[in-house]
Amino acid sequence: MDVKSHRIFQITYTLTRWDYAAMARALTRRPWQRSLVTMVLWLFAVWCLMVFYTNVYNPVVMVEAMVADGSMLWMVGGLAIVLLVSLATHWLAWGASFLSYRQIASANATITTTLSDDAIRVTSSVADSTVPWTTVKRIIRERNYLMLPISKREAFILPRRGFATQQEFDDACRYAAARHSTVVMESEV
């Protein structure tokens, strides 16, 4: 099948909290290398604060002093929090999205999304939008979703369940990829 043909994909679905959570996680997911750099920077910042308050520059001497003082448990707990925040921000965003879901205007709205050669059209009881493909930042494909981010916090969500078959979902993913200049296909982690 030629994905450059004038085929139009249209799906209708009800936006659920799981759809919103999947979008939040996908938009905040970043490469593990970047998470590692973030963690190293946090650890360096903590070390700088400890140096500022203790005037001890040697990390080995700091650890020995904490063990002797009995405050090692606090340090291990703090490092665990730094590790969690650095490596799992997309999961934290996923969890937080459940709390904010009821506050979004499109919660439980029935949404119709149409992909055509020139634009993406989204219609619901809340709003109607038509945006050109150049507005889409990248293509995110997961096992159950095709997402078309238009900003750092917003994306058009096309859930797999809105398509009649897996083949139609796959065709829509290829169709979107063929119309976008910077394609990043991501799979579910």
Side-chain angles (χ1 to χ4, degrees):
M1 169 194 211
D2 180 18
V3 292
K4 288 283 190 184
S5 67
H6 294 289
R7 182 166 181 193
I8 294 176
F9 289 89
Q10 183 172 4
I11 66 164
T12 300
Y13 67 97
T14 301
L15 182 71
T16 67
R17 64 182 60 243
W18 292 100
D19 299 331
Y20 187 67
M23 179 197 67
R25 189 187 61 179
L27 294 181
T28 57
R29 183 182 303 133
R30 48 188 189 176
W32 68 269
Q33 297 93 335
R34 185 172 171 200
S35 295
L36 187 64
V37 168
T38 301
M39 183 180 66
V40 168
L41 290 174
W42 272 105
L43 292 174
F44 181 71
V46 168
W47 179 77
C48 287
L49 283 172
M50 291 179 72
V51 166
F52 179 75
Y53 286 110
T54 64
N55 283 332
V56 176
Y57 295 91
N58 187 339
V60 174
V61 174
M62 278 185 195
V63 170
E64 288 173 351
M66 284 186 283
V67 169
D69 187 33
S71 60
M72 190 62 174
L73 184 61
W74 286 101
M75 182 54 81
V76 170
L79 292 176
I81 290 171
V82 166
L83 180 68
L84 175 70
V85 170
S86 298
L87 298 178
T89 53
H90 61 281
W91 288 109
L92 295 172
W94 178 81
S97 69
F98 284 100
L99 300 174
S100 63
Y101 172 73
R102 283 185 266 161
Q103 298 170 356
I104 64 170
S106 57
N108 295 319
T110 299
I111 299 170
T112 300
T113 304
T114 306
L115 305 179
S116 64
D117 286 338
D118 58 331
I120 302 157
R121 290 176 186 79
V122 180
T123 307
S124 73
S125 57
V126 177
D128 295 331
S129 299
T130 301
V131 298
W133 281 100
T134 55
T135 306
V136 175
K137 305 299 181 202
R138 65 183 191 261
I139 307 293
I140 301 174
R141 182 198 174 153
E142 294 187 347
R143 182 172 13 111
N144 293 317
Y145 294 97
L146 169 63
M147 289 180 238
L148 309 171
I150 57 173
S151 73
K152 288 184 178 184
R153 296 180 183 214
E154 297 175 306
F156 295 124
I157 306 166
L158 288 88
R160 158 64 188 93
R161 70 178 185 281
F163 294 89
T165 64
Q166 179 67 39
Q167 182 62 45
E168 189 176 331
F169 176 71
D170 293 339
D171 290 345
C173 292
R174 283 190 292 276
Y175 183 86
R179 275 144 192 82
H180 196 270
S181 59
T182 311
V183 178
V184 177
M185 300 298 270
E186 299 175 4
S187 60
E188 193 159 13
V189 178

